[in-house]
């Protein structure tokens, strides 16, 4: 029977719950809003399957093998504008749906809770696009995936590296009709903190919120992360960037991440997925012919991944690069986030404070924040924002 003695040893993937043959495990939220397995000890038959499928208990070493690496921009401007980066996930997902397959990824439900679900048509893929800086509940999707695979259906599953390794551990054997895509992950914030933020915004805006975009490109492009909130009809209610949006500031401060994120077992280059995809902000450092409207770095780990990539590349602008160059300096791939010294205090207050009081206490909007935002917008409107960011990166590297 799996036992979580320290919370840093559970990534919340749900593999144990899905694997239990007598269904005596359920995932329950703790006081911080993160899911952990809760076991009915009397119903447990002691088979040990929950321990065998746990990705944290069986995290492998980073053993080198041959990889392929590319920069990718989807040729469809609409797809790329609605995507957080370059549209690589959409290209892979379209490959699967065109062949009658199922695609699984993170979406918002009617309460803006982030959860994994499946889609089987091109029109259903839109909710999957866009970053969601909240830990997703995989629910029973691992079991659903296994059922589809056993029937011979093609399946694509995307998620964080721990979720992908959790799925593969649950399946216990390889499937040629499974395509896995992991996202280079900074860390996963608490669903409880996300709900506190939404509670605050509903009160301030005086409206229900129908959709949220953590990395909206509409106003200031790809280089400036913007939180946009929309009503149920898709009308914009709010748009603020990383200087003045309190949820984005909480995310980048690492004050509300899952305990396992501070000692992540999946920060490595050589992964078990078919594809690893993530941002490429300094695109001009690789190829000056590409634009800066959103670009994916794509690292391919398997022969299956290479076959699929050859099929999808005709719909994309691609540039092949050396894997060493693609991954050089990518901190999020190799290193866990550092713990914020105020984390314990923050979560204690989150249990008793309303959203407005919580965020105003830890992330007040000061004159400095407003001036930083104004400076960014001046740079953007005068056309020097990207150039200024590139110059700053070069200075920081020295």
């Amino acid at each position: 029977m799996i036992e979580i003695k320290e919370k840093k040893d559970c990534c919340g993937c749900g593999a144990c719950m899905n694997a239990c043959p007598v269904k005596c495990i359920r995932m329950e939220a703790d006081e911080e809003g993160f899911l952990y397995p809760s076991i009915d000890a009397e119903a447990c038959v002691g088979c040990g399957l929950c321990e065998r499928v746990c990705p944290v208990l069986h995290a492998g070493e980073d053993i080198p093998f041959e990889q392929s690496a590319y920069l990718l921009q989807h040729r469809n401007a609409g797809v790329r504008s609605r995507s957080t980066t370059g549209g690589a996930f959409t290209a892979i997902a379209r490959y699967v749906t065109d062949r009658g397959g199922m695609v699984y990824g993170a979406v918002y439900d009617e309460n803006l809770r982030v959860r994994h679900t499946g889609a089987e048509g091109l029109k259903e893929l839109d909710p999957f696009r866009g970053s969601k800086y909240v830990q997703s509940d995989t629910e029973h999707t691992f079991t659903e995936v296994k059922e589809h695979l056993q029937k011979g259906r093609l399946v694509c599953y995307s998620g964080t590296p721990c979720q992908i390794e959790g799925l593969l551990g649950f399946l216990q054997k390889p499937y040629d009709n499974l395509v896995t895509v992991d996202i280079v992950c900074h860390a996963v914030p608490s669903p409880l903190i996300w709900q506190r933020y939404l509670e605050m915004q509903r009160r301030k805006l005086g409206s229900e919120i129908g959709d949220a975009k953590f990395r909206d490109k509409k106003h200031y492009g790809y280089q400036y992360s913007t939180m946009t909130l929309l009503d149920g009809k898709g009308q914009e209610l709010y748009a603020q960037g990383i200087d003045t949006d309190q949820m984005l500031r909480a995310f980048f401060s690492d004050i509300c991440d899952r305990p396992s994120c501070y000692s992540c077992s999946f920060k490595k280059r050589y992964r078990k997925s078919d594809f690893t995809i993530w941002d490429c902000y300094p695109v001009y450092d690789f190829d000056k012919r590409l634009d800066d409207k959103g670009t994916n770095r794509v690292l391919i780990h398997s022969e299956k991944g290479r076959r699929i990539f050859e099929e999808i590349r005709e719909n994309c602008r691609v540039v092949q690069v050396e894997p060493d160059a693609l991954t050089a300096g990518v901190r999020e791939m190799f290193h866990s986030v550092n713990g914020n010294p105020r984390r314990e205090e923050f979560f204690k207050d989150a249990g008793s404070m309303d959203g407005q009081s919580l965020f105003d206490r830890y992330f007040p909007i000061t004159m400095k924040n407003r001036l930083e935002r104004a400076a960014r917008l001046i740079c953007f409107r005068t056309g020097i924002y990207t150039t200024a960011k590139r110059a700053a990166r070069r200075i920081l590297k020295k």
Side-chain angles (χ1 to χ4, degrees):
M1 180 173 66
I2 198 163
E3 184 179 1
I4 309 301
K5 295 181 179 179
E6 294 189 47
K7 290 187 174 181
K8 68 179 181 63
D9 295 328
C10 175
C11 65
C13 69
C16 55
M17 178 194 71
N18 280 268
C20 181
V22 294
K23 308 302 178 188
C24 73
I25 301 176
R26 63 184 184 276
M27 301 296 288
E28 294 188 345
D30 71 351
E31 66 279 1
E32 295 181 347
F34 294 110
L35 296 173
Y36 292 89
S38 175
I39 299 98
D40 181 348
E42 292 185 1
C44 177
V45 295
C47 67
L49 187 57
C50 54
E51 294 176 327
R52 292 202 297 275
V53 303
C54 175
V56 176
L57 290 178
H58 301 285
E61 297 180 9
D62 202 8
I63 301 174
F65 54 81
E66 183 180 358
Q67 296 172 313
S68 302
Y70 296 86
L71 302 177
L72 180 147
Q73 296 179 341
H74 204 289
R75 293 188 185 277
N76 185 309
V79 166
R80 194 148 65 113
S81 68
R82 296 191 302 274
S83 302
T84 297
T85 49
F89 169 73
T90 297
I92 297 168
R94 174 85 186 256
Y95 170 90
V96 173
T97 57
D98 282 353
R99 288 158 179 77
M102 287 287 297
V103 176
Y104 284 83
V107 302
Y108 294 119
D109 68 10
E110 62 277 8
N111 298 312
L112 291 184
R113 186 175 67 95
V114 183
R115 53 187 287 269
H116 262 63
T117 191
E120 54 186 338
L122 183 61
K123 293 181 179 180
E124 299 175 46
L125 293 180
D126 201 54
F128 289 66
R129 299 188 183 104
S131 294
K132 302 168 184 71
Y133 292 160
V134 186
Q135 182 160 37
S136 171
D137 184 354
T138 61
E139 300 182 339
H140 293 280
T141 56
F142 289 5
T143 300
E144 293 175 19
V145 167
K146 186 174 183 179
E147 291 172 354
H148 289 306
L149 293 172
Q150 290 177 334
K151 293 176 182 177
R153 194 171 191 183
L154 184 62
V155 177
C156 173
Y157 200 99
S158 68
T160 58
C162 57
Q163 289 172 336
I164 296 302
E165 292 213 20
L167 170 64
L168 296 176
F170 163 76
L171 293 173
Q172 296 192 74
K173 72 174 187 177
Y175 285 85
D176 193 54
N177 52 327
L178 173 65
V179 182
T180 50
V181 182
D182 80 71
I183 314 298
V184 172
C185 176
H186 176 84
V188 289
S190 161
L192 170 66
I193 302 306
W194 173 234
Q195 290 303 317
R196 287 285 187 272
Y197 173 81
L198 292 173
E199 165 198 313
M200 174 186 72
Q201 292 289 23
R202 289 187 187 104
R203 289 180 179 176
K204 289 172 68 174
L205 298 169
S207 173
E208 285 300 313
I209 300 169
D211 195 9
K213 298 180 180 181
F214 276 84
R215 295 270 304 280
D216 192 8
K217 299 176 183 177
K218 176 182 176 182
H219 292 285
Y220 309 115
Y222 175 56
Q223 297 287 339
Y224 181 32
S225 294
T226 301
M227 172 73 82
T228 301
L229 303 176
L230 307 145
D231 66 16
K233 297 180 180 179
Q235 297 298 308
E236 185 176 296
L237 298 169
Y238 166 95
Q240 292 290 322
I242 56 175
D243 307 300
T244 50
D245 180 79
Q246 291 165 301
M247 185 66 203
L248 289 177
R249 288 175 61 194
F251 171 73
F252 287 111
S253 77
D254 297 315
I255 203 170
C256 55
D257 300 327
R258 189 180 181 93
S260 61
C261 294
Y262 300 108
S263 56
C264 179
S265 302
F266 310 97
K267 295 286 188 179
K268 54 189 178 181
R269 171 173 158 178
Y270 297 94
R271 306 191 175 196
K272 297 181 180 180
S273 58
D274 297 301
F275 298 95
T276 294
I277 61 177
W278 73 104
D279 288 294
C280 184
Y281 290 117
V283 63
Y284 296 130
D285 292 349
F286 291 96
D287 195 314
K288 291 182 171 55
R289 295 170 296 177
L290 297 174
D291 62 43
D292 68 346
K293 296 179 181 180
T295 306
N296 281 110
R297 303 190 209 206
V298 181
L299 197 59
I300 305 175
H301 306 289
S302 67
E303 185 57 40
K304 183 198 309 179
R306 281 184 276 273
R307 291 198 311 268
I308 293 171
F309 193 81
E310 287 303 310
E311 294 282 344
I312 68 173
R313 63 183 298 164
E314 65 182 38
N315 297 318
C316 308
R317 289 186 292 272
V318 300
V319 176
Q320 186 165 12
V321 297
E322 288 298 317
D324 288 348
L326 193 74
T327 57
V330 181
R331 179 173 177 79
E332 290 83 358
M333 174 167 277
F334 301 104
H335 301 285
S336 299
V337 294
N338 296 319
N340 188 304
R342 302 189 72 189
R343 182 186 185 281
E344 183 176 352
E345 178 189 1
F346 179 76
F347 272 107
K348 182 178 179 180
D349 285 339
S352 58
M353 286 183 172
D354 62 79
Q356 185 75 66
S357 301
L358 178 70
F359 281 98
D360 283 351
R361 177 173 181 178
Y362 290 88
F363 302 100
I365 306 300
T366 65
M367 181 57 69
K368 179 184 177 182
N369 300 130
R370 298 183 192 280
L371 289 173
E372 288 174 349
R373 173 174 168 79
R376 286 178 188 269
L377 297 187
I378 289 170
C379 289
F380 178 81
R381 287 165 181 160
T382 55
I384 65 170
Y385 186 71
T386 300
T387 302
K389 285 194 72 171
R390 290 167 62 193
R393 287 194 190 99
R394 286 195 292 268
I395 292 171
L396 291 173
K397 287 180 180 179
K398 292 182 179 179

